Amino acid sequence: MKYKQLIQQMTLEEKASLMSGKDFWQTQDIQRLGIPSMFLADGPHGIRRQAVAADKLGLNAGVPATCYPTVATVANSWNTDLGERVGEYLGEEAVFQNVNVLLGPGINMKRNPLCGRNFEYFSEDPYLAGKMAAGYIRGIQSQGVSACVKHFAVNNQEERRMSIDTVLDERTLREIYLTAFEIAIKEGQTKALMSSYNKLNGTYANENTHLMQDILRGEWGYGGTVITDWGGSNDRLSGLLAGNELEMPTTAGETDKEIVEAVSSGQLDESVLDENVDRLLDLIFTTGEARRGSVANFNVERHHRVSQKVAEESIVLLKNEGAILPLKFGKKVAVIGDFAKDARYQGAGSSIVNPTILDHTLNCFEESGIISIGYEQGFERYGKKNRQLIQNACAIAGQADVVLLYMGLDEVTEADGVDRPTMAIPENQVDLLDALFEVNPNIVVILSCGSAVEMPWIGKVKGLLHGYLGGQAGARAILRVLSGDVNPSGKLAETYPLRYEDTPSYRYFPGKEVTAEYREGLYIGYRYYDTAGVDVLFPFGFGLSYTTFDYSDIVVQPDRVTFTITNSGRVAGMEIAQLYVGCESGEVFRPQKELKGFTKVFINAGESKRVTIPFDDKTFRYFNIITNKWEVEEGNYRIMIGASSADIRLEELLFVEGTGAPVPYDREKLPTYYSGKVNEVKDEEFEQLLGRSLPVSTWDRSKPLGYNDTIAQCQYARGWFARLTFHLISFAHWFLRKTGRRSTANLLMMSVYHMPFRGISRMTGGIVNMPMLDGLLMIANGRFFKGLRHFIKERNKMLKQRA
């Protein structure tokens, strides 16, 4: 152990105290031994250090910080160096704000387009997500502070995220949902990792020894700190045994006592506690050095310009009929849409950043050179229909050469804690588009949202520019692309299906009661669409440019592929070349192609560049459930170079020697997985893939409610008071949405409706302890007066102990 001598000086109580927060955002300190507290802050795309005391949770405004494009946006740049640069600037601001640990980036897979937190995640592909995340981590940690990769693992829905049991097979777990974490840990060398709320195959993630010990600590050799998501600790001792050092936020010493009692009784070996303390101390001291050298200030303007540069390189041009873009000199444009006046530039929930500067489209026209004849709001931001706004917009559109229509999703549609109900753009915006098309067909849509949407209206637009959520400088970045000052180079890091029903997890998302079944297995995103032959609107890796690129002269060697890219257009630009690999053996079921490398290259007009993409340890591997390790299947592999997953430009075969592992599957028992058409998998076949029977997926309404049952389950509680509470909460949610307070309604769903009972204790900072919670459960289970007496008794006892 690195801090053995220091740990030997600690009392058992002091060791235990370090394992839980001091308050909502700080860790415990031990002044007599010179151990300082750490400050942790949300920060996937900007520092969110709340401007309130650290003992308050809330979702209050943070100290002003640069709001960079969200990671879902930056993923479209496919530029790991750019991600590293964002990380460096995030790290610098973390040092300025005395933050030790930046809670990000989030690298969960975009399994389903309706996940409410997709705007905080990179991609549907683990290789791209892992490489981008590693860049962020290197950048953040170059400043002496720590990144905290999250949420480990298989956290792919927001609904019931604190209690849902994700059910999936081992191979899918390894290849799809853990690979990004593996890359982030091995290549990014992250010092901290956040465990997820959910269960994984029956065991809470932070207590899952297979996940935390066998894989994370054992196979990957991770020696850093694991931190719970806020309120994500279920059984403290089980979490500690699994190697989950830090529980956040504080429990006011309640779980510290559990640890002390467990060591004293012999239930927990003190050496296990010492190892956890040692790893946490390393994070405290190494990040403490950065805080002691805090910078007096940071260059706000320079950071803003960097945010703009990142946004420019991440914007995706999806449609450009008749070369309507870039806008020709002298063209008069009408600017329409509420998002033009008030930019939609970030997500909602725990990642909200208070920007230092905020660009809006209407304030940036003069420097862009684009001639605007005026602006109209066109639609109400939160979906209410308004014919007058549409009429006003049509009046100005008829006078313009080109209509710039700013559409998208509002702030409360994409939010931490809730999933989207639909993939559609709000109907009032589509009504506006329909009306504008009748007046002026030269429409360019500028889309602002952090996740995939359906576009049945796309035939009515000539241009489509997707800015995603471009941060505080995103509005100016979009104008620079529209004007032609910047040649767009972004490509989609996720597939856009024609309709939601086409998605492979359509029938299985979200898990509603006890379980979320990942019946589609390996086949998420393009892995499904390409293998099953399902048409999509825009494929993974797709993006247009104001120039054209030709590919030629492929040469495949055992350790690399080399080829030539030529800029055959008239302007300089950047091209993202993508390496896909597909095995032709057919013995082990696999997607038709999988991303195994990529590179982004700047090429002048008329210039050619020779490009090499190396192979690595992930190029040919698959996880074998019989040998329980990574293997290579012998056979011919298609080495494909594409401009997108659906636009393969070059292809060669390469024979690869295998590791000789036995075939782990019986083709006749898994026909759906061998075909890739996994949109409807029967129970028997999914059980065959799992190697076990399916767990019960519905609530047992005959049992009393317990710690891990949610407030939503009070609808069938034995106690009248609990049922009444459920109906009051449901009414409050309906009323808040009806009266336009959708953000508060979302917060109610996240922090109350889907909260397990134990969360009342874990998230209140010691205001309600577990014995008091026992009283609340008695009330919920029909023993009102006994439960009330117990609650009051335990509350008085707690207050007396603290007096």
Side-chain angles (χ1 to χ4, degrees), residues 333-530:
V333 305
V335 182
I336 297 171
D338 191 60
F339 296 133
K341 182 175 179 289
D342 294 310
R344 172 82 206 287
Y345 61 97
Q346 65 174 328
S350 63
S351 67
I352 290 178
V353 178
N354 183 11
T356 54
I357 302 170
L358 184 56
D359 290 339
H360 291 290
T361 303
L362 301 183
N363 301 329
C364 301
F365 263 100
E366 188 173 335
E367 68 185 69
S368 72
I370 300 172
I371 303 170
S372 169
I373 64 169
Y375 161 78
E376 285 294 340
Q377 181 180 344
F379 61 84
E380 294 199 19
R381 197 175 190 92
Y382 297 106
K384 186 178 179 181
K385 295 197 174 187
N386 187 323
R387 291 301 306 172
Q388 188 60 53
L389 291 180
I390 292 178
Q391 290 172 14
N392 295 345
C394 288
I396 194 174
Q399 305 170 36
D401 297 317
V402 177
V403 174
L404 297 183
L405 176 57
Y406 283 74
M407 298 173 67
L409 300 177
D410 60 65
E411 289 81 354
V412 295
T413 297
E414 299 177 283
D416 183 353
V418 291
D419 295 314
R420 289 196 290 156
T422 172
M423 273 188 74
I425 290 286
E427 190 176 354
N428 66 333
Q429 295 184 39
V430 180
D431 291 344
L432 171 64
L433 172 59
D434 291 340
L436 290 172
F437 181 74
E438 298 301 320
V439 176
N440 188 338
N442 295 319
I443 300 172
V444 174
V445 164
I446 295 90
L447 199 58
S448 298
C449 53
S451 45
V453 293
E454 293 172 334
M455 302 183 198
W457 40 262
I458 195 169
K460 294 185 177 180
V461 307
K462 288 188 176 179
L464 178 59
L465 197 66
H466 202 337
Y468 266 69
L469 301 177
Q472 65 182 47
R476 179 177 273 107
I478 285 169
L479 286 175
R480 282 175 53 78
V481 172
L482 291 171
S483 69
D485 288 339
V486 170
N487 187 356
S489 63
K491 295 195 176 189
L492 294 175
E494 59 187 318
T495 307
Y496 276 56
L498 286 165
R499 55 185 194 137
Y500 178 58
E501 290 78 6
D502 292 337
T503 59
S505 55
Y506 163 67
R507 288 180 172 82
Y508 324 128
F509 181 94
K512 280 293 182 183
E513 294 194 0
V514 176
T515 63
E517 296 176 351
Y518 286 46
R519 295 196 181 206
E520 72 279 2
L522 303 172
Y523 299 99
I524 73 167
Y526 72 91
R527 285 170 165 79
Y528 167 71
Y529 300 114
D530 289 356

Side-chain angles (χ1 to χ4, degrees), residues 235-250:
D235 183 294
R236 188 65 193 104
L237 294 181
S238 296
L240 204 62
L241 286 166
N244 196 149
E245 291 86 3
L246 181 59
E247 173 191 36
M248 291 297 291
T250 182

Side-chain angles (χ1 to χ4, degrees), residues 592-612:
Q592 184 186 87
K593 64 174 77 80
E594 296 181 276
L595 183 75
K596 297 297 182 179
F598 57 91
T599 187
K600 190 167 191 175
V601 187
F602 176 84
I603 310 177
N604 285 311
E607 182 186 10
S608 296
K609 283 192 175 178
R610 196 72 178 150
V611 176
T612 297

Side-chain angles (χ1 to χ4, degrees), residues 106-150:
I107 59 175
N108 295 103
M109 290 298 95
K110 296 186 180 187
R111 175 192 176 221
N112 184 285
L114 298 187
C115 174
R117 216 164 175 178
N118 276 352
F119 67 87
E120 264 191 71
Y121 302 143
F122 286 102
S123 179
E124 67 188 31
D125 182 83
Y127 191 87
L128 176 58
K131 292 291 185 178
M132 292 298 298
Y136 265 73
I137 295 161
R138 288 191 296 268
I140 291 167
Q141 297 188 169
S142 70
Q143 304 303 305
V145 296
S146 174
C148 182
V149 173
K150 60 185 185 181

Side-chain angles (χ1 to χ4, degrees), residues 41-244:
D42 289 309
H45 60 272
I47 314 300
R48 184 179 165 271
R49 177 165 181 158
Q50 291 190 121
V52 297
D55 62 346
K56 300 289 191 298
L57 181 59
L59 290 174
N60 304 282
V63 176
T66 308
C67 181
Y68 295 93
T70 65
V71 300
T73 309
V74 184
N76 295 330
S77 76
W78 294 62
N79 188 336
T80 56
D81 291 337
L82 193 69
E84 188 164 343
R85 191 177 182 195
V86 174
E88 288 172 4
Y89 281 83
L90 284 169
E92 184 179 331
E93 293 190 37
V95 173
F96 168 69
Q97 292 200 29
N98 282 314
V99 169
N100 297 70
V101 180
L102 208 54
L103 301 174
I107 59 175
N108 295 103
M109 290 298 95
K110 296 186 180 187
R111 175 192 176 221
N112 184 285
L114 298 187
C115 174
R117 216 164 175 178
N118 276 352
F119 67 87
E120 264 191 71
Y121 302 143
F122 286 102
S123 179
E124 67 188 31
D125 182 83
Y127 191 87
L128 176 58
K131 292 291 185 178
M132 292 298 298
Y136 265 73
I137 295 161
R138 288 191 296 268
I140 291 167
Q141 297 188 169
S142 70
Q143 304 303 305
V145 296
S146 174
C148 182
V149 173
K150 60 185 185 181
H151 309 88
F152 191 66
V154 204
N155 179 187
N156 307 104
Q157 71 176 59
E158 292 297 284
E159 185 173 321
R160 303 198 69 249
R161 63 185 182 183
M162 293 186 76
S163 56
I164 202 74
D165 182 11
T166 54
V167 180
L168 75 168
D169 65 290
E170 183 74 8
R171 183 179 170 205
T172 298
L173 172 68
R174 299 297 195 112
E175 293 188 20
I176 303 298
Y177 296 99
L178 295 188
T179 292
F181 285 99
E182 179 186 359
I183 295 170
I185 286 164
K186 290 182 177 179
E187 298 181 19
Q189 295 290 305
T190 185
K191 295 178 181 179
L193 177 145
M194 183 186 290
S195 56
S196 58
Y197 285 125
N198 54 282
K199 291 179 180 178
L200 172 59
N201 289 326
T203 305
Y204 279 100
N206 78 307
E207 302 170 9
N208 193 308
T209 54
H210 177 55
L211 184 67
M212 292 291 179
Q213 289 291 340
D214 299 344
I215 299 172
L216 179 66
R217 303 286 187 192
E219 292 181 24
W220 299 348
Y222 179 65
T225 299
V226 176
I227 303 167
T228 68
D229 204 340
W230 265 236
S233 175
N234 170 50
D235 183 294
R236 188 65 193 104
L237 294 181
S238 296
L240 204 62
L241 286 166
N244 196 149

Side-chain angles (χ1 to χ4, degrees), residues 304-341:
H304 183 71
R305 289 194 299 272
V306 169
S307 181
Q308 179 183 318
K309 163 64 179 168
V310 174
E312 289 171 0
E313 198 170 322
S314 304
I315 291 167
V316 188
L317 178 62
L318 293 174
K319 186 175 182 180
N320 197 17
E321 184 181 314
I324 194 170
L325 295 176
L327 294 168
K328 307 297 186 291
F329 180 76
K331 290 284 186 182
K332 295 180 295 183
V333 305
V335 182
I336 297 171
D338 191 60
F339 296 133
K341 182 175 179 289

